[in-house]
C-alpha cells in the first residue's frame, strides 16, 4: 500500500515539529527533569556514604583478606591467585574481585586504613546470594537416583 503524498507530508511535518521541540527544549519540562536527575544523584550519593559494609559482606571479606596478604603495597602472584579463588568461592565475579584488590592496594600505597575503602567497595555490585534450596534439591535428586539404581541392582542380583 502506497501512502498518499498529503499523509506523508503531515508525517514529515509532525516529525519536524517534534525534532524542533527537542532541540529547543521546553523550559519547564527540561528544568524539572534536570532537577529530578540531580535529586536522584544526591540520594544515591548519600545512600552510598551512609552505608557501612557488613563484616560478613563478601566484598569486605575479600578486602580484608587482600589487606592481610599484602606485603607493604605489593601482592605476590600466589597471593593474588588465592584471593581470586576466595572470590570465586564467595560468588564475586573476577572483574569485581580484581577491582577490590586494586582499591585495597591503592589505599595501602597511600597509607590509608582499609576502612576508607568502604565507600568505594559499596559501589561494586553485591554478589548474588547462592540459592541453597536449589543445591539441596540437586543433592536430594542425586541421592534418590543412587538409591533407585542400588535397588534395581540388588533386585537383579537376587532374582538371578
Amino acid at each position: 500500500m502506497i501512502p498518499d503524498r498529503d499523509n506523508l507530508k503531515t508525517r514529515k511535518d509532525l516529525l519536524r515539529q517534534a525534532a524542533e521541540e527537542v532541540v529547543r527544549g521546553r523550559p519547564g519540562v527540561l528544568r524539572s527533569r534536570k532537577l529530578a536527575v540531580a535529586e536522584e544523584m544526591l540520594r544515591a550519593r548519600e545512600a552510598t556514604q551512609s552505608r557501612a559494609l557488613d563484616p560478613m559482606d563478601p566484598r569486605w571479606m575479600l578486602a580484608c583478606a587482600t589487606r592481610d596478604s599484602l606485603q607493604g603495597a605489593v601482592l605476590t602472584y600466589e597471593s593474588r591467585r588465592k584471593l581470586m579463588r576466595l572470590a570465586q568461592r564467595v560468588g564475586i565475579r573476577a572483574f569485581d574481585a580484581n577491582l577490590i584488590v586494586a582499591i585495597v592496594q591503592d589505599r595501602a600505597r597511600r597509607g590509608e586504613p582499609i576502612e576508607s575503602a568502604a565507600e568505594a567497595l559499596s559501589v561494586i555490585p553485591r554478589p548474588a546470594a547462592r540459592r541453597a534450596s536449589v543445591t539441596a534439591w540437586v543433592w536430594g535428586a542425586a541421592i534418590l537416583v543412587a538409591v533407585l539404581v542400588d535397588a534395581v541392582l540388588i533386585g537383579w542380583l537376587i532374582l538371578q
Side-chain angles (χ1 to χ4, degrees):
M1 182 173 166
I2 301 173
D4 59 338
R5 290 180 185 234
D6 293 335
N7 191 13
L8 190 59
K9 187 175 181 179
T10 55
R11 285 184 187 169
K12 286 183 181 178
D13 290 339
L14 288 173
L15 287 173
R16 187 174 295 121
Q17 182 182 2
E20 287 175 2
E21 285 181 10
V22 169
V23 169
R24 278 185 303 183
R26 291 183 251 163
V29 174
L30 193 58
R31 185 167 186 263
S32 65
R33 288 182 183 163
K34 284 182 179 179
L35 286 175
V37 169
E39 288 175 3
E40 180 66 27
M41 290 172 67
L42 286 173
R43 276 196 301 264
R45 189 171 86 189
E46 289 171 1
T48 302
Q49 288 175 351
S50 65
R51 184 179 5 166
L53 289 176
D54 178 26
M56 296 307 293
D57 188 330
R59 300 169 294 179
W60 186 252
M61 289 170 45
L62 182 62
C64 290
T66 303
R67 178 198 56 199
D68 296 341
S69 299
L70 287 175
Q71 298 171 358
V74 178
L75 186 64
T76 63
Y77 176 72
E78 188 58 37
S79 296
R80 181 177 283 274
R81 286 186 56 205
K82 287 179 184 176
L83 291 169
M84 292 302 119
R85 284 194 299 266
L86 171 65
Q88 185 179 19
R89 279 196 311 269
V90 296
I92 299 175
R93 298 180 316 151
F95 178 82
D96 294 335
N98 282 306
L99 188 56
I100 291 169
V101 168
I103 289 170
V104 173
Q105 278 186 303
D106 182 54
R107 297 292 196 254
R109 278 189 202 108
R110 291 192 266 164
E112 297 177 7
I114 192 171
E115 288 76 20
S116 67
E119 182 180 346
L121 293 174
S122 67
V123 174
I124 297 171
R126 188 180 185 98
R130 294 188 178 190
R131 296 184 356 199
S133 61
V134 172
T135 305
W137 278 103
V138 169
W139 277 105
I143 291 171
L144 180 64
V145 168
V147 167
L148 289 174
V149 168
D150 286 343
V152 168
L153 288 174
I154 290 172
W156 180 72
L157 287 173
I158 290 175
L159 295 175
Q160 209 179 26

